[in-house]
Amino acid sequence: MVGLLSAELLSRLRPLTEVQTLWYGALDMTSEGSTPVLRLEGLQTVQHWISALDRFDGNNDYGVFEPLLLDDGFPADKARCLRKAALYESMSNVNDAALQLMTVLPELDKPLRGAGELFGLQIKMRLEWARLDTLYAQQRLLARRVLDRGDFCGR
């Protein structure tokens, strides 16, 4: 676990550093003179998903999910729509952001491969506002999220 956290810290402090694979020599599992070595790639992927959810909740950038979804076999054209939606929303163009997200949501109804399957419901919950039937309802929900985050001037 310390190695996993260290690798995550290193990739954050030095963005050009990419830890591709972590291995763990499980000395505690030694049996008959043989010690297994475990690949921790799955734990690392789960950590990336958790980190992406935290980043999204902090700034509402749907684009943080794009590379993770691509790694799980999500269609590239749909994954790009997440970045476009984030751009439109940052320009207060809620209508076009919702249109982009509406192309992504049906794909999220399908099972994801890999660790993404653990987080598919969480992503859908964050995108569901796009399915609201009026612009007013969409803007209201998004404004509520901004208030809940404390991400506004005047506080």
Side-chain angles (χ1 to χ4, degrees):
M1 287 299 153
V2 171
L4 179 65
L5 289 174
S6 298
E8 186 67 19
L9 179 65
L10 181 62
S11 66
R12 293 284 177 98
L13 295 178
R14 296 181 180 199
L16 297 178
T17 304
E18 182 181 335
V19 178
Q20 294 184 0
T21 305
L22 284 170
W23 296 87
Y24 170 66
L27 190 59
D28 57 316
M29 295 172 68
T30 300
S31 175
E32 298 176 18
S34 180
T35 301
V37 177
L38 308 171
R39 191 174 183 172
L40 301 180
E41 185 176 35
L43 283 175
Q44 189 177 18
T45 302
V46 169
Q47 173 57 39
H48 291 162
W49 274 99
I50 292 169
S51 179
L53 287 170
D54 283 343
R55 287 193 320 269
F56 173 82
D57 289 341
N59 66 12
N60 228 38
D61 178 6
Y62 309 103
V64 299
F65 301 122
E66 180 184 13
L68 297 168
L69 287 168
L70 288 172
D71 287 345
D72 281 357
F74 203 75
D77 59 327
K78 304 299 184 208
R80 274 192 303 275
C81 290
L82 291 166
R83 286 212 186 274
K84 291 178 185 176
L87 175 64
Y88 286 133
E89 191 177 320
S90 73
M91 297 185 305
S92 299
N93 186 345
V94 174
N95 188 55
D96 285 342
L99 290 173
Q100 292 296 315
L101 295 178
M102 288 301 291
T103 67
V104 174
L105 282 164
E107 288 296 322
L108 288 172
D109 289 334
K110 301 173 187 173
L112 297 170
R113 294 187 335 218
E117 183 61 21
L118 298 171
F119 299 94
L121 180 61
Q122 291 297 316
I123 296 171
K124 281 173 37 174
M125 287 171 40
R126 286 160 172 81
L127 306 182
E128 281 296 320
W129 67 267
R131 288 188 170 152
L132 295 174
D133 57 349
T134 66
L135 181 60
Y136 163 76
Q138 293 170 341
Q139 289 175 325
R140 183 175 185 272
L141 193 144
L142 290 173
R144 191 87 218 144
R145 286 185 182 170
V146 169
L147 287 172
D148 290 345
R149 274 195 320 264
D151 188 17
F152 63 95
C153 297
R155 240 194 193 182

